Amino acid sequence: MDALYREAILDHYKYPRHKGHLDNPDVSYFDHNPFCGDEITLELKIEHGVVVEAAFDGRGCAISQASASMMTEEIIGKPLEELKGWTKDDILDLLGIEIGPVRLKCALLPLKALKAGVWGIDDSDA
Amino acid sequence: MKSIEAIRADFPILQREINGLPLAYLDNAATSQKPLAVLQAMDDYYRLRNANVHRGVHTLSEEATTLYEGARGRIARFINAPSSKQVIFTRNATEAVNLVAYSWGLDTLKPGDEVLITQMEHHANIVPWQLITERTGATLRYVPLDPQGMLRLDLLNELLTERTRLFAFVAMSNVLGTINPVAELVARAHGVGALALVDGAQSVPHLPVDVQALNCDFLVFSGHKMCGPTGSGVLYGRRELLERMPPFMGGGDMIREVRLDGSRWNTLPWKFEAGTPAIAEVIGLGAAVDYLTGLGMEWAQQREHALVRYAMEQLERVEGLRILGPGPEQRGGAVAFTLGEIHPHDTAAILDAEGIAIRAGHHCAQPIHDFYGIAASARASFYFYNTFEEIDRLVMALDKVHSVLGI
Ligand SMILES: Cc1ncc(COP(=O)(O)O)c(C=O)c1O
């Protein structure tokens, strides 16, 4: 089958991890990709500058939704400082596939939401 | 009549393989493929006759001018225009709509005037009117859709009034496939004293179009969707209107006389063709029109009708598949659909792995998707060179999409 839809991606798409909502999240950010209609809401709970819980909700293509599922799994337990430095390569490493320019936007939507949501977070209680 | 195999052999790209499988090109509403005759006409121009048009007195320039103007004549005959002076070359249908909007619209529209378009327009026939009505203070109104993907013509009496200056509408929707009753809509527009602009981007490539029978004031279309090259498009206009309209762009070729204190315009059609035109592309479009005429547009329409009818029958059997738009009798060769909750991008990507090219997205017609409450759709669109086997492959591949992504 097409390398884009390798087993791990399909698994995260069909059985998304951390899909849903958190009670009283510290961060809640909605982002979407108007050209293809991918949508995600990313929610985080932060303690001492570390992501302790993460959830997402959304609709869209397998790549965007699998990327959100993989990313939420990965960021839990990570300090925000580290996550702010994440780039597209970190997401592509998670997905484990090569993506052409058109689908790249889908793959990076969750990271975009993370960065936009985290930016401006008052994590002074850390 | 040529066999389909022989017709397909005219299109070099149709021999291509994608991911090790024969290409099934089902994205013709986006752009069509080009036959050898078109490629050769452009190649011949560049190899043997390349020169600027309307300028030199040398042999090459005369040959180039003859070819360029010859193409205009062939295109005029193709749409049955009374005169080739009424055929203006643009880059594409979009530029042709903009030409009318900026020349006729800016000059004519005033606060209180209305421009009527429809909810099934391509963005090319929406955005220019949004821009121009905003600048002139005129009002833009829309004919809504019904759930079958047909225009709500029952509302036309209210929407088309003595305030309407222009009714601009698509002859065939690039998403819903809907074929609108063009001649009837033109007559309704004229009935209230409005002009009628027809977006023929999807109709001119796919069915016989006769501007005199339709009686439209303007018709726009793109060469690249009808076997011609990109960069070639056409505005047809009624003679008196074109004569009265001010130029759209200024520059060389569109003037008769330039003095420092003012200029006089060239006659039609050159008044609207500023600067060096897309000479090779127009020559290519002339060859495309010859090719289509050779096949016969009636034949092309019937062939596509048979393909669409078969495709719709087969697609309806795919689990969860919902076709947007009317049944095969009221539509042309574009079939947009959704597949349950599966995102169209995933559908198109998995089909691509099977060598099948379809489009996924909003197809430059967001208002239609808003109407159905969806962000995007997948679309298979046919041309006369497509085959029933390609449709079978499409349906089998869609079943595969289910087995890969089905939740
Ligand atoms: C109905 C319709 N109108 C206008 C256009 C615009 O054509 P172009 O992009 O060649 O200007 C298209 C192309 O997709 C179309 O399908």
Side-chain angles (χ1 to χ4, degrees), chain A residues 1-2 5 10 13-14 35-38 60-62 103 106, chain B residues 343 345-346 349-350 353 362 366 375-376 400 404-407:
Chain A
M1 188 53 222
D2 187 2
Y5 297 96
L10 291 174
Y13 172 62
K14 294 183 189 178
F35 279 104
C36 50
D38 294 334
C61 69
R103 298 305 293 282
C106 313
Chain B
H343 194 283
H345 272 178
D346 292 323
I350 292 174
H362 54 54
Q366 260 180 321
K400 187 153 179 185
V404 174
L405 291 180
I407 318 178

Side-chain angles (χ1 to χ4, degrees), chain B residues 29 92-94 122 124 170 172 174 199 201-202 222 224-225:
Chain B
N92 45 40
T94 303
H122 185 280
V170 70
M172 186 202 290
N174 63 317
D199 175 356
Q202 296 295 340
S222 283
H224 69 91
K225 294 183 199 284

